[in-house]
């Protein structure tokens, strides 16, 4: 039983012989029960380092006792020989798997893979090498080692085909002779060319294009064999025909395709003309082979495949029929097919170039977005910032309008970016506009756009921020500074109504998520009538409160180190950190400018630092009061120290906060970060009374 299982396992073992350039360079062993992945990603078992290969391109696995290959919806497809892989396909010994220009030969006996006869079959199946010694009785051999004897008498030349010319266009140089045509035959050929052009539009690989063009030529039943050959990419001039790469070939049953002669290949590559060569002897006297045993062609057509006025390949057809050879009308048709193939290849190469450029652009965008994400990351692990992160994660997946509140410089725009890039709109644009920086007329134009001539200076049509943010996010900073007239129009857009550009009449709709930000007391603005109540309620769907820096002193050290590293990179300095005195002062300072001020303080210190450690006297701090400490002399708080109990400090702070809010207990409680009931208990405990 064990020996039987072992025998069965050994039968299922197979190998992939991998070709690198002109040499078979590696062997990969296939083991039953293991799936082998192939692609550009380094996580694959077989890595193909070519741009044309997808990251996860194909896989090989055992299915029902047979090794099977499957394409993983790759961008450029997988081929077995000259056939494009569709769905799953069981592999047979000698099959050649093509991914980009990499070849993998499937064999079950590794020792036989290095046998000259078997190895020759692999090479020929891949259509890359000729002139090998092959057993003529082997049905697998498709390209004979015998030489093709081609006629060297060129009887007709054509540079342009009538199939692709205007009806009234003649031969401008007068060098090309007029060839009599059969109307019925010409109609069929024109139909074939039209169908070929449509079919080639759906093909994605050069080999598939070659195969389809040969199928079209074979329908005419004029040639014995033929092939599409390409000039190596690094050589576009006269080359040895043995170096031409065969993209595809066809031959009659029992026949073997023979390569084009050096004379005809060089003639066509050099002149760029299609040629028809025929024997001038009595055709009836010719046999299939000459006296030396070589195959004898009675007529040959070789046509150039051109792209961007450069010959990049050849179509080679020949006939061995003694009486029914290739004629001048066939030359016209083959030249037309060659031109069509050239146009199809040019389209495919352009598509490939666009895909590669698009892939590079996407990679650059991802890199820039990652860099932007690093620069825009919300730094801080304090409980206050944890609540902000939690609110962002909950609000981002929804479609609700968000109102971000906080003092100037706390990072409201960074929170808005975090919401955008955490939402399903992250692939769309993120557009930011400061409403306080523009006048009413300019703000309307920036938001909704304007038509040419709408006002003085409107020399061109301009799309507004709503149009620019379509399918993305629009952040409006300082929303409290928006004028009542703009508020009314803005509210209609928020309600889903279309809008019009300034000076225009065309209704425009945009799919935009709005994030508003403000450092103003919108409730007070509503009471005073400077901000619309209905707009306030429309914006106040989800609110994120960003705490000032003084309410999260735990984050000051982390933020300072973050900005220190940032400006070390920008300036080339190597500042290692802050002295204990400087760090202590950073933590004690009240930061009226919040994170923005801290960023600027650190930048100045990095630029002017005398040593590799920032000292206390290199920190430029101000005496400005914070938004909630207008009654305090902050300079005194920073520079002087008086020994006080915590209760004394708390009492003074509550008194100052109540004075700054004009004894608005709800607002004071919000600033202090406590409940209203807690504040009432503190007021009663300390006997704090309102001054009149």
């Amino acid at each position: 039983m064990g020996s039987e299982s072992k025998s069965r396992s050994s039968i299922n073992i197979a190998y992939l012989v991998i070709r690198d350039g002109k040499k078979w360079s590696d062997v990969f062993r296939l083991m039953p029960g293991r799936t082998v992945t192939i692609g550009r990603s380094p996580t694959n078992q077989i890595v193909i380092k070519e741009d044309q290969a997808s990251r996860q391109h194909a896989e090989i696995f055992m299915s029902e006792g047979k090794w099977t290959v499957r394409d993983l919806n790759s961008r450029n497809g997988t081929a077995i020989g000259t056939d494009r892989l569709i769905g799953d396909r069981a592999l047979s010994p000698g099959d050649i798997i093509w991914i980009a220009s990499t070849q993998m030969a499937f064999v079950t006996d590794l020792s036989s893979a290095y046998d000259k006869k078997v190895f020759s079959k692999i090479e020929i199946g891949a259509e890359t090498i000729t002139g090998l010694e092959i057993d003529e009785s082997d049905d697998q051999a498709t390209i004979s080692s015998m030489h093709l004897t081609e006629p060297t008498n060129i009887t007709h030349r054509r540079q342009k085909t009538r199939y692709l010319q205007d009806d009234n266009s003649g031969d401008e140089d007068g060098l090309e002779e007029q060839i009599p045509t059969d109307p019925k035959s010409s109609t069929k050929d024109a139909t074939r060319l039209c169908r070929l052009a449509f079919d080639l539009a759906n093909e994605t690989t050069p080999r598939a294009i070659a195969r389809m063009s040969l199928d079209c030529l074979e329908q005419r039943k004029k040639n014995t064999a033929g092939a599409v050959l390409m000039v190596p990419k690094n050589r576009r001039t006269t080359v040895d025909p043995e170096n031409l790469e065969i993209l595809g070939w066809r031959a009659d049953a029992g026949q073997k395709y023979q390569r084009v002669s050096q004379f005809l290949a060089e003639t066509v590559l050099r002149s760029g003309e299609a040629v028809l060569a025929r024997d001038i002897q009595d055709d009836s006297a010719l046999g299939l082979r000459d006296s030396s045993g070589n195959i004898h062609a009675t007529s040959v057509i070789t046509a150039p495949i051109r792209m961007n006025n450069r010959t990049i390949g050849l179509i080679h057809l020949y006939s061995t029929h003694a009486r029914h050879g290739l004629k001048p009308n066939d030359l016209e048709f083959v030249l037309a097919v060659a031109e069509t193939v050239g146009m199809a290849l040019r389209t495919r190469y352009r598509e490939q170039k666009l895909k590669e450029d698009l892939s590079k652009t996407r990679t650059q965008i991802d890199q820039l977005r990652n860099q932007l994400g690093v620069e825009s990351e919300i730094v801080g692990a304090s409980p206050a910032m944890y609540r902000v992160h939690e609110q962002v994660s909950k609000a981002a997946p929804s479609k609700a309008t968000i109102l971000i509140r906080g003092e100037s410089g706390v990072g409201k725009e960074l929170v808005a970016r975090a919401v955008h890039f955490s939402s399903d709109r992250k692939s769309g644009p993120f557009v930011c506009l400061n409403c306080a920086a523009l006048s009413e007329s300019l703000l309307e134009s920036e938001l909704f756009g304007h038509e040419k001539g709408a006002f003085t200076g409107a020399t061109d049509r301009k799309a507004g921020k709503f149009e620019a943010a379509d399918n993305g996010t629009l952040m409006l900073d300082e929303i409290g500074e928006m004028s009542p007239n703009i508020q009314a129009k803005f509210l209609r857009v928020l309600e889903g109504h279309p809008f019009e550009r300034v000076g225009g009449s065309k209704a425009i709709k945009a799919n935009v998520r709005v994030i508003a930000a403000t450092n103003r007391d919108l409730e007070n603005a509503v009471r005073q009538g400077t901000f619309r109540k209905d707009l306030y309620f429309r914006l106040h769907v989800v609110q994120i409160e960003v705490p000032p820096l003084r309410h999260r002193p735990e984050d000051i050290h982390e933020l300072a180190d973050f900005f220190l590293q940032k400006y070390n990179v920008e300036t080339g300095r190597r500042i290692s950190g802050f002295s204990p005195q400087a760090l202590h002062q950073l933590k004690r300072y009240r930061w009226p400018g919040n994170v923005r001020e801290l960023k600027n303080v650190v930048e100045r210190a990095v630029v002017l630092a005398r040593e590799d450690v920032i000292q206390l006297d290199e920190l430029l701090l101000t005496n400005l009061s914070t938004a909630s400490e207008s009654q305090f002399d902050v300079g005194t708080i920073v520079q002087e120290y008086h020994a006080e109990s915590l209760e004394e400090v708390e009492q003074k702070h509550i008194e100052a906060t109540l004075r700054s809010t004009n004894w608005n207990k709800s607002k004071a409680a919000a600033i202090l970060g406590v409940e209203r009931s807690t504040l009432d208990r503190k007021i009663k405990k300390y006997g704090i009374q309102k001054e009149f």
Side-chain angles (χ1 to χ4, degrees):
M1 182 69 179
S3 60
E4 181 182 351
S5 175
K6 183 177 180 180
S7 176
R8 186 184 301 113
S9 176
S10 63
I11 293 174
N12 291 333
I13 294 177
Y15 304 88
L16 288 178
V17 186
I18 304 172
R19 184 182 182 85
D20 181 14
K22 295 184 177 181
K23 298 180 180 179
W24 296 91
S25 62
D26 200 2
V27 176
F28 189 90
R29 186 179 183 183
L30 302 176
M31 296 293 294
R34 296 183 183 179
T35 297
V36 178
T37 59
I38 308 171
R40 197 175 73 250
S41 173
T43 58
N44 293 288
Q45 284 89 343
I46 299 178
V47 179
I48 298 179
K49 299 178 180 180
E50 296 188 58
D51 292 339
Q52 292 81 4
S54 298
R55 294 182 61 81
Q56 303 293 333
H57 198 105
E59 63 182 9
I60 297 177
F61 55 93
M62 177 72 72
S63 176
E64 297 180 355
K66 295 183 178 180
W67 285 105
T68 304
V69 61
R70 173 186 296 165
D71 184 85
L72 300 176
N73 296 320
S74 62
R75 182 176 60 189
N76 294 314
T78 306
I80 306 297
T82 59
D83 298 327
R84 184 181 179 89
L85 177 61
I86 299 175
D88 295 351
R89 172 167 168 174
L91 292 170
S92 300
D95 281 347
I96 304 296
I97 303 172
W98 283 87
I99 295 179
S101 59
T102 300
Q103 307 167 42
M104 290 166 282
F106 175 81
V107 296
T108 54
D109 184 359
L110 189 59
S111 60
S112 66
Y114 292 94
D115 179 75
K116 187 174 183 180
K117 175 180 174 181
V118 175
F119 202 64
S120 299
K121 288 163 58 179
I122 294 176
E123 295 278 12
I124 293 173
E127 298 179 346
T128 55
I129 297 180
T130 57
L132 297 170
E133 297 178 6
I134 301 173
D135 186 354
E136 289 291 332
S137 63
D138 193 340
D139 294 335
Q140 299 268 352
T142 53
I143 302 177
S144 173
S145 61
M146 287 298 191
H147 182 65
L148 173 68
T149 302
E150 291 186 337
T152 58
N153 301 296
I154 297 175
T155 61
H156 292 80
R157 295 176 179 266
R158 297 291 289 175
Q159 189 173 28
K160 300 177 183 178
T161 173
R162 67 169 182 269
Y163 289 103
L164 301 180
Q165 288 181 331
D166 296 335
D167 293 339
N168 56 357
S169 63
D171 295 326
E172 297 179 359
D173 53 12
L175 296 177
E176 295 187 355
E177 70 278 15
Q178 295 296 325
I179 299 175
T181 61
D182 177 9
K184 185 176 180 180
S185 176
S186 295
T187 301
K188 290 183 178 179
D189 286 344
T191 302
R192 292 189 180 102
L193 286 173
C194 183
R195 186 181 299 112
L196 176 65
F198 280 111
D199 291 341
L200 290 182
N202 297 320
E203 295 298 338
T204 58
T205 63
R207 292 185 177 277
I209 291 173
R211 182 177 63 250
M212 187 162 290
S213 63
L214 290 170
D215 289 342
C216 177
L217 292 168
E218 191 176 25
Q219 292 173 4
R220 302 176 79 248
K221 307 294 184 184
K222 296 294 186 69
N223 56 287
T224 302
V228 176
L229 305 96
M230 297 300 294
V231 177
K233 291 183 178 180
N234 59 342
R235 297 190 64 184
R236 296 301 189 190
T237 56
T238 303
V239 296
D240 187 334
E242 294 295 320
N243 292 330
L244 293 173
E245 179 187 4
I246 300 179
L247 287 187
W249 55 267
R250 289 286 185 273
D252 289 347
Q255 299 293 323
K256 300 177 178 63
Y257 168 71
Q258 307 295 327
R259 281 182 173 268
V260 63
S261 70
Q262 182 170 352
F263 168 73
L264 288 181
E266 290 182 351
T267 299
V268 175
L269 290 171
R270 183 177 60 252
S271 66
E273 295 178 324
V275 299
L276 169 62
R278 292 188 294 180
D279 279 297
I280 58 175
Q281 311 174 47
D282 181 8
D283 288 349
S284 61
L286 294 174
L288 180 62
R289 297 181 184 271
D290 61 13
S291 57
S292 300
N294 294 327
I295 296 177
H296 194 103
T298 59
S299 55
V300 179
I301 290 178
T302 309
I305 299 174
R306 292 182 282 244
M307 185 173 69
N308 299 328
N309 297 321
R310 185 176 61 184
T311 301
I312 62 169
L314 304 172
I315 290 183
H316 174 228
L317 300 181
Y318 63 84
S319 173
T320 58
H321 300 299
R323 301 183 181 278
H324 307 290
L326 299 169
K327 297 181 172 56
N329 283 329
D330 302 320
L331 177 65
E332 291 275 1
F333 183 75
V334 175
L335 181 56
V337 171
E339 293 290 343
T340 306
V341 169
M343 289 186 286
L345 289 174
R346 180 177 61 184
T347 302
R348 296 293 85 77
Y349 291 150
R350 283 180 176 177
E351 289 180 356
Q352 182 64 32
K353 182 67 166 56
L354 288 173
K355 288 180 179 178
E356 293 174 357
D357 292 345
L358 181 59
S359 177
K360 292 178 181 177
T361 302
R362 285 175 175 169
T363 301
Q364 292 172 353
I365 290 174
D366 291 340
Q367 292 173 349
L368 292 173
R369 182 164 287 168
N370 290 336
Q371 294 174 7
L372 178 64
V374 170
E375 294 181 1
S376 301
E377 184 179 1
I378 303 174
V379 178
S382 63
M385 290 311 299
Y386 175 78
R387 288 193 293 270
V388 172
H389 284 290
E390 190 176 29
Q391 289 175 310
V392 168
S393 64
K394 290 180 179 179
S398 71
K399 298 180 180 179
T401 303
I402 297 177
L403 178 62
I404 302 176
R405 309 186 74 162
E407 295 178 9
S408 179
V410 294
K412 295 187 289 295
E413 183 177 341
L414 304 187
V415 174
R417 286 184 181 274
V419 171
H420 171 73
F421 287 111
S422 299
S423 70
D424 56 2
R425 294 173 176 264
K426 61 184 177 182
S427 58
F430 177 83
V431 180
C432 186
L433 178 65
N434 191 330
C435 299
L438 302 170
S439 64
E440 178 179 336
S441 58
L442 287 178
L443 179 58
E444 183 179 12
S445 173
E446 284 294 319
L447 280 175
F448 308 111
H450 62 252
E451 297 290 345
K452 181 178 180 181
F455 50 83
T456 303
T459 56
D460 294 292
R461 172 187 288 180
K462 177 182 178 180
K465 299 300 184 186
F466 269 103
E467 292 180 73
D470 191 28
N471 294 318
T473 304
L474 173 62
M475 179 196 175
L476 297 177
D477 200 4
E478 305 296 349
I479 190 71
E481 306 298 329
M482 186 180 288
S483 68
N485 291 334
I486 304 297
Q487 290 177 30
K489 190 172 182 179
F490 175 55
L491 177 60
R492 281 187 55 81
V493 180
L494 281 183
E495 295 290 351
H497 297 284
F499 61 91
E500 299 173 355
R501 298 191 187 100
V502 177
S505 58
K506 180 182 177 181
I508 302 171
K509 290 203 68 172
N511 179 16
V512 176
R513 182 183 192 175
V514 173
I515 299 178
T518 184
N519 61 1
R520 290 187 56 183
D521 185 350
L522 290 185
E523 293 82 2
N524 190 42
V526 171
R527 286 192 294 269
Q528 295 176 358
T530 58
F531 199 82
R532 294 177 62 103
K533 182 184 293 187
D534 47 3
L535 178 57
Y536 169 78
F537 288 118
R538 185 65 183 82
L539 293 174
H540 199 262
V541 179
V542 176
Q543 176 173 301
I544 299 178
E545 187 81 29
V546 185
L549 187 56
R550 62 184 172 277
H551 287 174
R552 48 186 183 111
E554 308 97 318
D555 295 332
I556 291 177
H557 192 179
E558 184 179 357
L559 281 165
D561 285 340
F562 175 80
F563 292 129
L564 176 65
Q565 298 304 322
K566 170 183 170 63
Y567 292 116
N568 269 340
V569 174
E570 290 187 5
T571 61
R573 301 293 302 272
R574 294 185 177 180
I575 308 299
S576 60
F578 301 86
S579 69
Q581 297 82 1
L583 189 59
H584 179 68
Q585 185 73 324
L586 289 175
K587 292 180 178 179
R588 292 184 58 215
Y589 185 56
R590 301 295 290 168
W591 298 110
N594 292 293
V595 180
R596 182 186 293 122
E597 182 184 4
L598 174 59
K599 175 183 176 183
N600 295 334
V601 167
V602 174
E603 181 180 13
R604 177 186 181 277
V606 170
V607 172
L608 301 180
R610 299 181 297 273
E611 303 174 5
D612 60 352
V613 175
I614 295 175
Q615 303 297 326
L616 175 62
D617 61 348
E618 293 168 339
L619 299 177
L620 182 61
L621 304 176
T622 70
N623 293 330
L624 297 175
S625 63
T626 65
S628 62
E629 297 173 333
S630 58
Q631 305 298 320
F632 273 17
D633 182 356
V634 180
T636 303
I637 296 175
V638 174
Q639 301 298 335
E640 298 181 8
Y641 172 74
H642 300 283
E644 295 178 304
S645 68
L646 289 176
E647 289 188 348
E648 289 175 325
V649 173
E650 184 179 45
Q651 178 181 345
K652 289 181 179 180
H653 186 51
I654 292 174
E655 288 177 345
T657 304
L658 288 169
R659 284 196 300 269
S660 69
T661 61
N662 197 22
W663 272 77
N664 185 330
K665 293 183 180 180
S666 297
K667 187 173 182 180
I671 293 174
L672 293 170
V674 298
E675 298 293 335
R676 168 69 181 271
S677 59
T678 303
L679 178 60
D680 287 334
R681 288 197 302 271
K682 297 285 186 182
I683 293 173
K684 184 177 180 180
K685 175 183 177 181
Y686 296 126
I688 301 173
Q689 296 181 356
K690 185 176 182 180
E691 299 176 356
F692 296 96

